[in-house]
Amino acid sequence: MKSISFKALLCAAATISLAACGGGDREAEDQTQVADDMAIQNDMPVETNANSSAVMVGGAEMFPNKTIVENASQSADHTTLVSAVKAAGLVETLSGPGPFTVFAPTNAAFDKLPAGTVGTLVKPESKKALTGILTYHVVSGRMTAADLSKAIKQGGGTAKLNTVAGGSLTATESGGTITLKDAKGGTSTVTQGDVMQSNGVIHVVDTVLMPA
């Protein structure tokens, strides 16, 4: 039998009472607030619409109350990235409190690499190299698109981003689009920014960035 929460019982009782007495909307709102307050006092969770600020990535909703790994695992466009994160043993790290700013390459981005590259990188003997590449896409702290844009302006048109891997990325902006240059001179464009996470933010990019 499906259980009914304490809050639900209070709200139901309030609704019945108002219907019998001919109460208006304002009274209903007051009664609901009382129910919420009582639920909190009794350590019962007050329901909220956590889905209201979710955005779509790879055909799936990304929720700001979930971690980077939890959200990325739902995106059909990031299956290669998630597999790589697992192979590198970074699931626990990217599920931690952070916060982190992750430039997340799509499957199409990985497909741009020379044939066989991904297959080689996910092998146990390539774990160090794979970890270096993945952490090169991670910056400590939460940097939104607005933060990146501000840093670029303050830097006179460029911003140096220090990655968790130890190297740096150079960010530029043109026409509202942010581009990243890696240590080898390759560039990657942010195609979707500000995908908020509980432990940071993801910016989707169209090319894999390579450290020195």
Side-chain angles (χ1 to χ4, degrees), residues 188-203:
S188 185
T189 300
V190 175
T191 57
Q192 183 176 1
D194 289 349
V195 185
M196 306 309 293
Q197 319 287 309
S198 64
N199 61 339
V201 58
I202 283 177
H203 301 292

Side-chain angles (χ1 to χ4, degrees), residues 50-184:
N51 297 357
S52 61
S53 57
V55 298
M56 300 295 291
V57 175
E61 290 182 310
M62 304 286 110
F63 299 108
N65 62 338
K66 292 187 177 182
T67 67
I68 290 167
V69 174
E70 288 173 329
N71 276 322
S73 296
Q74 301 306 307
S75 170
D77 290 342
H78 291 87
T79 55
T80 302
L81 175 61
V82 172
S83 295
V85 167
K86 291 178 179 178
L90 293 173
V91 171
E92 184 175 354
T93 298
L94 294 178
S95 296
F100 304 106
T101 296
V102 177
F103 298 103
T106 60
N107 294 343
F110 280 101
D111 289 342
K112 291 180 182 180
L113 296 173
T117 300
V118 175
T120 298
L121 285 172
V122 296
K123 291 181 178 180
E125 59 268 29
S126 302
K127 184 175 180 179
K128 182 177 180 179
L130 178 60
T131 300
I133 292 172
L134 294 178
T135 54
Y136 190 60
H137 290 75
V138 182
V139 174
S140 293
R142 188 192 304 265
M143 292 194 74
T144 64
D147 294 328
L148 290 169
S149 182
K150 181 179 179 181
I152 291 169
K153 290 177 181 177
Q154 291 179 337
T158 63
K160 182 180 179 181
L161 309 177
N162 296 317
T163 72
V164 172
S168 64
L169 297 169
T170 301
T172 58
E173 184 175 10
S174 177
T177 298
I178 293 174
T179 299
L180 305 168
K181 179 183 285 188
D182 63 27
K184 294 187 175 181

